[in-house]
Amino acid sequence: MADAIVQTIHRDPALFYWILFPITVVMILTGVLRHYATVLLATTPKKQDFPTLREQRSLLRGINLRTNCHVISPSSFNSRKSFLVSAYKDGVFLKDPENRGKPAGNPMTDPAAMEGMMGMMKGNMAMMVPQTLIMGWINAFFAGFVIMKLPFPLTIRFKSMLQSGVATRDLDVRWVSSLSWYFLNLFGLQSVFIFILGNDNAASQMAQQMSQMNPGAATGMFQPGQDPDKLFQSEVENLEVVEHEYILAGIEDRLLASI
């Protein structure tokens, strides 16, 4: 059986020092600068008033009761359930009881919502501007270079991801172009940023995208335009259909049976 033909490309060893190494260093430094730029542009969250905190924590109390109901006795669960269901139905915990049943206001007129949108725009600027500059820099100076070969085999589906900017149909899929090395660094330096900046950093591209998918996670439980009363009524339905099973029910008999 004939041996498979090994594709060999004679590359200049200086490509490592003039392309691969500079791109990696620039991407790491850009991530560190993006982290500190995001920290400087971030606005200090305003302290919430007591009615707003009570509204949010009261809903969270019902969610916790429904989630951890198995660790309390049936009598304790039923008393807590009755109190919360009655309070939710009567709107006791609402921040603005007089607005109950009215349509939600325009989120664009809410100062808190506008502040959150402005913070998200600042984060987008801190993420997009450096990547645009680096992308133009790589296209201007390093486009079309094949800089390394992966030591393990890959399927043909990886060709478009690893050989961006190199229009060669017969090139082995294990060869990596300079532009593809940039994209691999863009999404693969999370562990490096955690080592340098810690777990809570704004340097990672993936972390930025995840935070933008859920922008209200850090500001509160209610998204702009949501009606708290509808959330309370939904939690009432969830509490009423909970099937309570006490984890310590019959523990004496189970303990004696195991001896």
Side-chain angles (χ1 to χ4, degrees):
M1 183 176 179
D3 295 335
I5 300 176
V6 179
Q7 191 178 70
T8 304
I9 297 179
H10 297 284
R11 295 172 296 115
D12 188 348
L15 291 176
F16 175 82
Y17 301 102
W18 293 103
I19 297 180
L20 190 145
F21 185 71
I23 292 177
T24 305
V25 172
V26 168
M27 291 298 296
I28 294 176
L29 294 178
T30 303
V32 174
L33 292 176
R34 185 194 303 124
H35 167 74
Y36 287 109
T38 304
V39 172
L40 292 175
L41 293 174
T43 56
T44 304
K46 295 181 179 180
K47 186 177 180 180
Q48 294 180 332
D49 55 359
F50 174 74
T52 302
L53 286 175
R54 186 184 65 172
E55 186 179 60
Q56 297 179 359
R57 299 301 184 268
S58 299
L59 180 62
L60 186 62
R61 182 180 177 184
I63 296 175
N64 290 334
L65 176 63
R66 175 166 47 88
T67 306
N68 305 307
C69 62
H70 58 279
V71 299
I72 59 177
S73 63
S75 59
S76 299
F77 171 74
N78 290 329
S79 62
R80 289 171 170 81
K81 174 184 173 181
S82 301
F83 169 74
L84 289 177
V85 168
S86 176
Y88 289 166
K89 289 183 177 179
D90 296 338
V92 175
F93 301 123
L94 291 176
K95 178 179 66 175
D96 298 318
E98 62 277 2
N99 294 331
R100 187 181 184 185
K102 297 181 181 179
N106 187 2
M108 301 301 293
T109 61
D110 187 3
M114 292 297 296
E115 184 177 353
M117 294 175 62
M118 184 61 66
M120 188 167 57
M121 290 178 60
K122 292 179 181 178
N124 288 333
M125 291 295 295
M127 180 179 63
M128 295 301 298
V129 172
Q131 301 305 334
T132 303
L133 296 177
I134 295 177
M135 191 73 173
W137 171 62
I138 293 177
N139 281 327
F141 293 99
F142 306 129
F145 286 96
V146 177
I147 57 176
M148 63 180 297
K149 185 179 182 180
L150 299 177
F152 47 86
L154 293 171
T155 61
I156 194 63
R157 294 181 179 273
F158 289 90
K159 188 175 181 63
S160 60
M161 180 178 69
L162 296 178
Q163 296 178 4
S164 299
V166 180
T168 52
R169 184 181 60 182
D170 299 327
L171 187 63
D172 189 359
V173 69
R174 290 186 293 173
W175 291 102
V176 181
S177 66
S178 57
L179 189 59
S180 294
W181 181 249
Y182 157 74
F183 286 113
L184 292 176
N185 280 275
L186 186 63
F187 296 102
L189 291 176
Q190 173 66 15
S191 58
V192 177
F193 292 138
I194 291 177
F195 176 75
I196 298 175
L197 302 170
N199 292 324
D200 189 14
N201 65 83
S204 173
Q205 183 89 0
M206 190 63 68
Q208 289 277 350
Q209 293 179 356
M210 292 297 293
S211 63
Q212 291 172 12
M213 291 174 60
N214 191 12
T219 57
M221 296 181 58
F222 301 136
Q223 300 292 334
Q226 282 187 329
D227 187 1
D229 185 56
K230 292 183 179 179
L231 296 178
F232 281 129
Q233 300 309 318
S234 177
E235 188 60 31
V236 167
E237 297 178 359
N238 294 333
L239 286 173
E240 289 179 342
V241 300
V242 169
E243 296 182 0
H244 180 260
E245 294 182 3
Y246 188 32
I247 194 174
L248 296 180
I251 186 62
E252 300 88 352
D253 297 335
R254 285 184 286 164
L255 181 60
L256 294 176
S258 62
I259 298 176

